[in-house]
């Protein structure tokens, strides 16, 4: 994360796109570490007041990663939690590319409990998500997309996190599955500002990396640094990046 600060300092005067941004991330399993690398640089640029990050939208791990960043208030903590989750998943197992309701629920319940204990008020956590984090869900059996941005209580907030990436669960009484099945990259149709879309599955990474990154810090860090380098090249216009798309206002 010190590397992200240095990259941000190096490129802060060379950004070639609109600096008021909404951010979209496609679901991609544990390749989301690539998005974490991208976002670490964006966060540092925001801290320097060189860019503004407004809303986030995503599906599956592409929603869960920015969701965790917003709730935790830290890119670094969110990265560490997801890596630790990968270790647990490797030990206890999941269902193919998906995981069970219980596994996702355990992780997000733990995060809420930890942050609730330190912040003292659940409302402050929900406010970080309200109208800022847009989570893609797929209602079954119709495979109709639901885009959640309203979090009136802890249960609905947690159910949306679980629902976007799990095999089958319920959200507001409806059965839902992975949001990527109906809308993997939910762009903002209101076009209020420029949008940047990160698709980790299109990143130039070794094909076996997604599985290994569940539990190996070295490989997760490789994808993370690749994301940092790619967003640097993208923002400065020095290289076309397949995994990062830009939609101007």
């Amino acid at each position: 994360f010190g590397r992200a600060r240095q990259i941000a300092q190096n490129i802060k005067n060379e950004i070639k796109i609109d600096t008021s941004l909404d951010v979209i991330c496609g679901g991609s399993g544990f390749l989301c570490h690539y998005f974490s690398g991208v976002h670490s640089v964006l966060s540092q640029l925001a801290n320097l007041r060189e860019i503004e990050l407004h809303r986030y939208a995503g599906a599956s791990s592409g929603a869960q990663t920015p969701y965790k960043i917003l709730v935790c208030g830290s890119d670094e903590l969110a990265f560490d939690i997801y890596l630790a989750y990968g270790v647990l998943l490797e030990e206890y197992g999941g269902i193919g590319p998906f995981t069970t309701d219980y596994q996702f629920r355990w992780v997000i319940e733990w995060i809420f409990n930890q942050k609730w204990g330190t912040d003292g008020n659940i409302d402050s956590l929900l406010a970080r998500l309200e109208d800022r984090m847009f989570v893609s869900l797929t209602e079954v059996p119709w495979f109709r997309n639901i885009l959640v941005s309203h979090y009136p209580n802890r249960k609905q907030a947690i159910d949306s996190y679980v629902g976007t990436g799990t095999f089958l669960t319920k959200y507001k009484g409806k059965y839902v599955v992975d949001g990527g099945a109906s809308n993997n990259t939910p762009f903002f149709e209101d076009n209020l500002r420029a949008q940047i879309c990160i698709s980790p599955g299109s990143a130039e990474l070794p094909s076996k990396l997604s599985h290994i990154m569940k539990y190996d810090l070295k490989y997760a860090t490789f994808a993370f640094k690749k994301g940092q380098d790619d967003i640097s090249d993208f923002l400065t216009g020095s290289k076309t990046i397949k995994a990062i798309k830009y939609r101007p206002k």
Side-chain angles (χ1 to χ4, degrees):
F1 290 87
R3 188 173 187 264
R5 287 190 288 273
Q6 188 59 57
I7 290 172
Q9 285 287 350
N10 291 343
I11 70 171
K12 65 180 183 180
N13 297 319
E14 302 177 32
I15 299 173
K16 306 299 185 186
I17 65 171
D18 195 320
T19 55
S20 180
L21 296 167
D22 287 331
V23 181
I24 297 95
C25 183
S28 54
F30 281 84
L31 290 176
C32 65
H33 291 309
Y34 174 88
F35 172 80
S36 295
V38 169
H39 195 269
S40 70
V41 175
L42 294 176
S43 291
Q44 292 300 320
L45 288 168
N47 290 341
L48 294 171
R49 300 183 184 278
E50 298 296 333
I51 66 172
E52 295 178 330
L53 301 175
H54 296 275
R55 300 176 296 182
Y56 296 83
S60 195
S61 66
Q64 291 173 333
T65 304
Y67 184 115
K68 285 196 295 289
I69 291 170
L70 289 174
V71 171
C72 293
S74 164
D75 286 79
E76 188 168 3
L77 180 56
F79 176 81
D80 288 345
I81 289 171
Y82 213 58
L83 189 64
Y85 169 64
V87 174
L88 291 172
L89 187 62
E90 184 66 21
E91 182 174 350
Y92 295 106
I95 305 175
F98 303 103
T99 50
T100 65
D101 177 304
Y102 172 77
Q103 290 165 326
F104 274 141
R105 196 170 298 278
W106 183 89
V107 173
I108 196 61
E109 288 276 8
W110 182 86
I111 293 173
F112 265 80
N113 289 339
Q114 293 296 311
K115 296 301 293 180
W116 195 6
T118 56
D119 291 352
N121 190 336
I122 188 66
D123 291 339
S124 68
L125 298 186
L126 298 178
R128 298 178 188 183
L129 300 170
E130 185 72 15
D131 291 330
R132 194 174 184 205
M133 182 70 242
F134 290 69
V135 174
S136 177
L137 305 175
T138 301
E139 183 184 356
V140 290
W142 302 276
F143 279 83
R144 182 165 49 216
N145 186 253
I146 303 170
L147 200 58
V148 178
S149 62
H150 180 46
Y151 307 91
N153 54 59
R154 173 188 173 114
K155 176 174 171 48
Q156 285 189 30
I158 289 175
D159 286 350
S160 68
Y161 176 94
V162 174
T164 194
T166 197
F167 184 69
L168 182 67
T169 189
K170 279 188 174 182
Y171 173 77
K172 295 176 65 174
K174 300 176 180 178
Y175 283 104
V176 296
V177 297
D178 192 301
S182 57
N183 192 350
N184 198 44
T185 52
F187 279 92
F188 293 98
E189 297 303 323
D190 57 16
N191 206 34
L192 284 178
R193 56 187 64 87
Q195 301 177 57
I196 184 172
C197 180
I198 295 88
S199 299
S202 298
E204 296 178 357
L205 296 166
S207 59
K208 66 179 182 179
L209 209 54
S210 183
H211 172 71
I212 293 173
M213 281 192 301
K214 287 182 183 178
Y215 55 89
D216 192 299
L217 178 60
K218 180 177 70 173
Y219 287 98
T221 302
F222 177 87
F224 184 88
K225 288 183 175 179
K226 176 64 173 170
Q228 291 181 324
D229 292 339
D230 280 0
I231 191 62
S232 175
D233 289 339
F234 175 82
L235 290 174
T236 59
S238 60
K239 187 186 296 185
T240 299
I241 304 299
K242 183 179 179 182
I244 304 176
K245 304 298 182 185
Y246 176 67
R247 180 184 286 186
K249 180 177 177 181

